[in-house]
Amino acid sequence: MEVFANAKINLSLDVLGVREDGYHEVRMLMQSIGLADRITLDPIPSGIMLHTNRSYLPCDARNLAYRAAELFLKETNTSSGVKMNIIKKIPVSAGLAGGSTDAAAVLVGLNQLFGTKLSRRRLCELGGTLGSDIPFCILGGTALATGRGEQIHRLPPLPKVYLVLVKPPISISTPKIYTALDQQEIACHPDTDALIEKIKARDVSGLAQEMVNVLEPVCETFEPRISELREKLLSCGAIGARMSGSGPTVFGIFETYEQAARAADAFRGRGDEVIVTSTRR
Ligand code: ATP
């Protein structure tokens, strides 16, 4: 069986505070995108085997896809095992939920492969124990994520728009970004309710102009090129540009594929990963 694991971008990301359990209370507008890893799942008599096309990624329980398979087999008392092959297309440690979406696709795919009929709700509960972004990755589309990011409130789909993703060749761990955030005052919060109204009104250009990610100024202290990339996307015709998640990927929104493809050309050849994709329902 073959499944696709779609990446996400954050149309906005707000942090409301630190909870008693140590997690940050967030309010994020999440959007699935076309960029996806391809995963094949084959039943084997027992155990879990994992292979990926990125030699630096672990293939044991340090890999979220492996942990998702382990959890699924235990939850469903499945005695057989699974062999998984992940073809990664999503840049790693990029703020695009690469690991989370692989785990989500494994949960959904194994449920189909073994005919176990777990509900989406149960799959989301299981996924939420492995990572806060996994429930959104299971449901996909456009949504508001609250709590530590695991509570998903679906929103109407956005009209399809095209995206240029630019990922600088650095990786800053998500915990490091949140620790740095805790040591400073948040200067500008997104108006998430107003952004939701724009989504409901299908006003993509209003939405694009008012996107805010509170982690972006923090990430900029480690990688000053974030603002340079955002400005350049805007000067190449993007109707809005922001950093996704805890970075460092910056995305620009374009109304047509041709505009996005032309803009992407202006970013190539400088050591950044440059990807043209689109939003996905
Ligand atoms: P998020 O947007 O959810 O913060 P991310 O896109 O920033 O995630 P990932 O690509 O998920 O980051 O990688 C974060 C870490 O997770 C890396 O250090 C990587 O080694 C580890 N990891 C575990 N499993 C996977 C996987 N299947 N794909 C990618 N990274 C994985």
Side-chain angles (χ1 to χ4, degrees):
M1 168 185 276
E2 185 175 68
V3 286
F4 287 88
N6 290 86
K8 60 87 184 158
I9 53 169
N10 293 87
L11 299 169
S12 75
L13 193 161
D14 199 8
V15 177
L16 307 180
V18 184
R19 314 187 323 178
E20 279 186 0
D21 60 8
Y23 284 103
H24 288 80
E25 183 77 22
V26 295
R27 262 188 120 207
M28 311 187 285
L29 287 171
M30 317 282 276
Q31 175 63 53
S32 297
I33 63 175
L35 173 68
D37 294 341
R38 211 174 77 208
I39 308 180
T40 53
L41 303 169
D42 290 298
I44 54 174
S46 67
I48 298 169
M49 288 168 67
L50 172 62
H51 182 263
T52 82
N53 61 337
R54 298 276 180 263
S55 54
Y56 52 86
L57 277 182
C59 284
D60 53 20
R62 288 168 296 166
N63 194 303
L64 266 183
Y66 187 105
R67 286 220 291 286
E70 213 172 33
L71 182 64
F72 178 87
L73 296 176
K74 187 164 171 244
E75 164 79 11
T76 55
N77 285 318
T78 303
S79 56
S80 44
V82 64
K83 183 172 144 195
M84 305 185 283
N85 186 29
I86 305 181
I87 313 279
K88 286 223 62 98
K89 293 273 176 70
I90 305 171
V92 173
S93 294
L96 300 171
S100 303
T101 193
D102 289 349
V106 165
L107 290 171
V108 173
L110 292 183
N111 197 33
Q112 248 174 292
L113 185 69
F114 292 114
T116 31
K117 297 197 169 78
L118 295 186
S119 64
R120 287 272 142 161
R121 193 195 171 105
R122 184 67 194 133
L123 291 174
C124 287
E125 282 168 6
L126 288 175
T129 67
L130 293 176
S132 305
D133 280 348
I134 298 177
F136 170 73
C137 293
I138 290 173
L139 298 170
T142 307
L144 170 70
T146 60
R148 56 183 171 82
E150 88 292 10
Q151 288 167 30
I152 307 303
H153 317 265
R154 300 193 79 173
L155 292 167
L158 276 186
K160 182 172 180 174
V161 283
Y162 295 85
L163 305 162
V164 175
L165 312 180
V166 186
K167 152 117 188 356
I170 54 146
S171 69
I172 310 153
S173 80
T174 304
K176 193 169 168 183
I177 297 285
Y178 274 97
T179 304
L181 178 81
D182 292 340
Q183 281 147 20
Q184 62 189 62
E185 194 78 13
I186 297 176
C188 174
H189 288 272
D191 185 344
T192 310
D193 292 335
L195 291 170
I196 291 172
E197 289 311 310
K198 296 202 189 296
I199 290 173
K200 289 183 176 164
R202 300 171 65 79
D203 176 10
V204 185
S205 91
L207 172 78
Q209 283 160 33
E210 284 170 38
M211 302 183 295
V212 175
N213 178 344
V214 299
L215 301 180
E216 195 172 305
V218 182
C219 196
E220 262 166 26
T221 62
F222 298 102
E223 174 51 288
R225 285 187 62 233
I226 301 277
S227 51
E228 180 202 309
L229 293 172
R230 197 185 57 236
E231 295 301 326
K232 187 167 166 183
L233 281 162
L234 293 171
S235 71
C236 286
I239 53 173
R242 275 288 159 229
M243 187 184 86
S244 182
S246 56
T249 304
V250 180
F251 64 90
I253 299 183
F254 295 83
E255 276 162 346
T256 69
Y257 173 79
E258 289 70 24
Q259 288 167 343
R262 213 176 311 122
D265 286 340
F267 287 85
R268 297 194 206 278
R270 282 164 210 213
D272 299 320
E273 280 184 75
V274 182
I275 295 164
V276 179
T277 184
S278 62
T279 52
R280 185 174 189 270
R281 280 170 173 240

